[in-house]
Amino acid sequence: MQVTIIERLKEAGIVVALPWDLPLAAILPIADALLASPILAVDVAFGGDELPQLLHDLRRRAGDKLLIGVSGVETAVQLHSLQNSPIDYISSPRLDDELLIGCQNGGMTYLPGVISVLAAQAAQQKGCGSIRLRTGGPGGSDYVRAIRQVQPDLGLIVETELNPAEVYSYRQAGAAALVIGAPLFTGHNQTMADLIAQARIFTQAWQDGGSWQEKRAQNGRY
């Protein structure tokens, strides 16, 4: 059976949103460093004439080992500009019917950005199996839990800024994966070794969270 992009995102657990202001020349070595961590999914912000070439370079460099998504796609015209790009999914700031139809027709995974229960319900009613839920802070995991209770069958790819200690609470609350960015990057002088170390802390926190849940379920206390 073919594994879906959403299932692969869930398997990756941590999705890294690349900073929008990164020099293009820096993105490829950063992607190499992330893949070594291993981070298995990256998010590239939409924009710029060089984006299509960058996406092709990323795919050539990483092959099928790395999931590549483009975020911030807002119109059908922007989606059309990506139709020949080797990407796995797109996400938009909000649920958009034209983007949904365009992705369905093009066989592409679509993650609409959602911030409310009503928007999450609308996305699922229109056929979206997963959403990109934007929240944050220590209390953000409680909001994830609230959405999960209302819509238990909806996949929640959660976009948030958090520290590694908070990863556990988000996974426990029902996040299928976490999209993180700023917490990983410390500035233009950051070494690749430091980036790899930071990424490994997050991936380990995600894996440890899953182990904790499995142990509690086995003990009958979950």
Side-chain angles (χ1 to χ4, degrees):
M1 188 173 93
Q2 185 178 7
V3 178
T4 68
I5 297 301
I6 296 301
E7 287 169 333
R8 289 185 62 192
L9 282 172
K10 292 177 180 179
E11 182 180 354
I14 300 295
V15 182
V16 172
L18 299 174
W20 64 270
D21 59 347
L22 274 178
L24 291 177
I27 290 181
L28 291 181
I30 283 175
D32 286 344
L34 292 173
L35 195 56
S37 300
I39 294 291
L40 303 178
V42 295
D43 218 60
V44 183
F46 181 85
D49 295 335
E50 296 174 305
L51 177 63
Q53 185 59 52
L54 169 64
L55 294 172
H56 281 282
D57 289 345
L58 270 176
R59 179 59 70 209
R60 226 178 353 254
R61 195 81 157 245
D64 294 332
K65 293 180 289 185
L66 188 68
L67 287 172
I68 301 172
V70 176
S71 61
V73 180
E74 298 194 47
T75 67
V77 172
Q78 292 175 347
L79 176 62
H80 183 74
S81 72
L82 295 169
Q83 65 178 353
N84 295 318
S85 298
I87 59 179
D88 297 296
Y89 68 90
I90 69 135
S91 59
S92 59
R94 60 194 170 277
L95 176 62
D96 183 277
D97 289 344
E98 287 189 349
L99 289 178
L100 174 59
I101 293 170
C103 286
Q104 289 173 338
N105 291 340
M108 189 180 299
T109 298
Y110 174 52
L111 292 174
V114 166
I115 59 174
S116 72
V117 174
L118 289 178
Q121 291 173 331
Q124 189 168 31
Q125 289 168 359
K126 289 178 181 290
C128 297
S130 296
I131 60 171
R132 183 161 170 154
L133 180 66
R134 287 171 285 162
T135 184
S141 58
D142 291 334
Y143 190 54
V144 172
R145 183 177 289 104
I147 297 289
R148 167 66 59 223
Q149 290 173 346
V150 174
Q151 294 168 274
D153 298 327
L154 188 62
L156 305 181
I157 312 298
V158 180
E159 179 181 359
T160 184
E161 290 190 11
L162 76 173
N163 61 56
E166 294 170 321
V167 169
Y168 151 75
S169 63
Y170 275 87
R171 186 163 188 184
Q172 182 195 24
L178 296 175
V179 182
I180 60 173
L184 279 177
F185 299 95
T186 59
H188 295 298
N189 295 324
Q190 184 179 23
T191 65
M192 292 300 104
D194 182 70
L195 178 59
I196 290 172
Q198 296 300 322
R200 284 179 174 166
I201 291 172
F202 276 94
T203 56
Q204 190 62 54
W206 178 265
Q207 293 165 6
D208 289 347
S211 299
W212 184 91
Q213 290 187 65
E214 290 170 5
K215 289 176 182 177
R216 286 200 59 166
Q218 292 169 2
N219 292 334
R221 294 194 298 269
Y222 180 68

